[in-house]
Amino acid sequence: MKILIVYAHPEPCSFNGAMKDLAVEVLTGDGHEVAVSDLYAMRFNPAGGPGDFLEREDANLFRYQREQIHAHAAGLFVPELEREMNKLAAADLVIFQTPIWWFSLPAILKGWVDRVLAMGFSYTEAARYKTGLLGGKRAMLSITTGGLAAAYAPEGAHGRLDAVLSPIHRIFQFLGMEVLPPFVAYGAARVQPEQRAAYLAEYRERLLTLEAVPPAARQADTVAPKS
Ligand SMILES: Cc1cc2nc3c(=O)[nH]c(=O)nc-3n(C[C@H](O)[C@H](O)[C@H](O)COP(=O)(O)OP(=O)(O)OC[C@H]3O[C@@H](n4cnc5c(N)ncnc54)[C@H](O)[C@@H]3O)c2cc1C
């Protein structure tokens, strides 16, 4: 399998860094072809806008999706985006290795989503959900949280983790991707070292059995809407 790991943590010695390194080691050792987008190391620009394009279709009025469609057709994305799109196009599976920040993605990763998953390239007006242009690919979140598992239980302080991850999973579903269940290291900085070691051992196991992991149940409301 060709696997792309999109990694979003500013510190190489972080637990996220350890999970990314483990994934590269285990997946490569298991015979997969692994590419990594280390967003902080790349100094990936998270701000989508006119700077995404070598040339504009309309130099007077900026309409982001319209420019994305034009750039995709004419090959006018800046090299930073062209490279990421090529890596994504080649991948069978994309693993997003990231901490949860503010019940969502860190800005640098959200910026990758905004800029790389461009209209024309990953979806069109007509091609979304089941017909999304990234159909045939799979996506998996591998995340760490600050909150312990109890805080993400139904009656916990933060509510169910499913609800936090649902808008992120919807992005992948919108593009036609199959969503694998997330791998979660709860309270990564707060648990005992033994628990962190257990997380890494569990993650190794998950990585070695990726092809057998059934997709997460599709949410009932992810059928393509009429408009
Ligand atoms: C802006 C911001 C917003 C946030 N919002 C939320 C939120 O909404 N919800 C929430 O739950 N949390 C939130 N957090 C907390 C955040 O999710 C956690 O701090 C993060 O997930 C912890 O992961 P880390 O990789 O940064 O851990 P680190 O702090 O880098 O690492 C944790 C521990 O792992 C150790 N470690 C590193 N490598 C290894 C290894 N190979 N083996 C064993 N141990 C190792 C480190 O030494 C450290 O002790 C937020 C944090 C920030 C900065």
Side-chain angles (χ1 to χ4, degrees):
M1 234 188 328
K2 290 189 176 173
I3 301 174
L4 171 62
I5 301 174
V6 184
Y7 163 64
H9 200 291
E11 171 54 60
C13 293
S14 63
F15 198 66
N16 274 271
M19 293 180 76
K20 181 264 292 173
D21 291 344
L22 179 74
V24 171
E25 177 208 313
V26 170
L27 294 170
T28 306
D30 206 25
H32 300 292
E33 204 176 301
V34 181
V36 177
S37 289
D38 181 342
L39 301 185
Y40 281 94
M42 291 157 61
R43 297 179 181 274
F44 187 82
N45 170 16
D52 288 5
F53 311 102
L54 294 173
E55 208 181 285
R56 295 253 298 271
E57 181 184 28
D58 185 339
N60 298 316
L61 182 66
F62 181 67
R63 283 162 293 188
Y64 198 10
Q65 288 173 305
R66 191 165 164 165
E67 292 293 344
Q68 288 180 325
I69 292 169
H70 176 67
H72 175 66
L76 288 172
F77 284 110
V78 292
E80 178 182 46
L81 296 183
E82 190 74 33
R83 277 195 296 274
E84 290 305 295
M85 288 172 187
N86 288 340
K87 281 155 99 174
L88 179 54
D92 303 302
L93 167 69
V94 188
I95 297 176
F96 294 89
Q97 181 60 56
T98 181
I100 290 296
W101 282 3
W102 290 118
F103 307 104
S104 186
L105 302 174
I108 202 165
L109 180 51
K110 176 57 165 58
W112 186 94
V113 167
D114 291 345
R115 301 180 67 215
V116 177
L117 304 178
M119 191 167 191
F121 167 66
S122 62
Y123 69 97
T124 67
E125 193 83 35
R128 50 201 186 134
Y129 291 103
K130 284 180 182 164
T131 56
L133 300 179
L134 300 190
K137 300 183 189 299
R138 300 193 295 166
M140 183 177 95
L141 289 171
S142 174
I143 60 168
T144 60
T145 66
L148 298 170
Y152 285 102
E155 304 303 323
H158 305 322
R160 292 173 59 92
L161 186 67
D162 288 0
V164 174
L165 301 186
S166 169
I168 305 169
H169 283 158
R170 182 179 285 277
I171 298 167
F172 308 144
Q173 289 163 340
F174 184 87
L175 304 174
M177 300 175 92
E178 199 169 78
V179 177
L180 296 187
F183 184 87
V184 186
Y186 289 103
R190 295 169 61 191
V191 294
Q192 296 299 314
E194 298 73 35
Q195 180 58 54
R196 278 194 287 276
Y199 283 145
L200 293 176
E202 272 173 53
Y203 191 41
R204 175 184 294 273
E205 223 17 67
R206 167 69 77 88
L207 293 166
L208 287 171
T209 53
L210 276 177
E211 269 151 318
V213 177
R218 281 190 165 269
Q219 293 158 326
D221 58 351
T222 54
V223 291
K226 289 200 177 75
S227 59

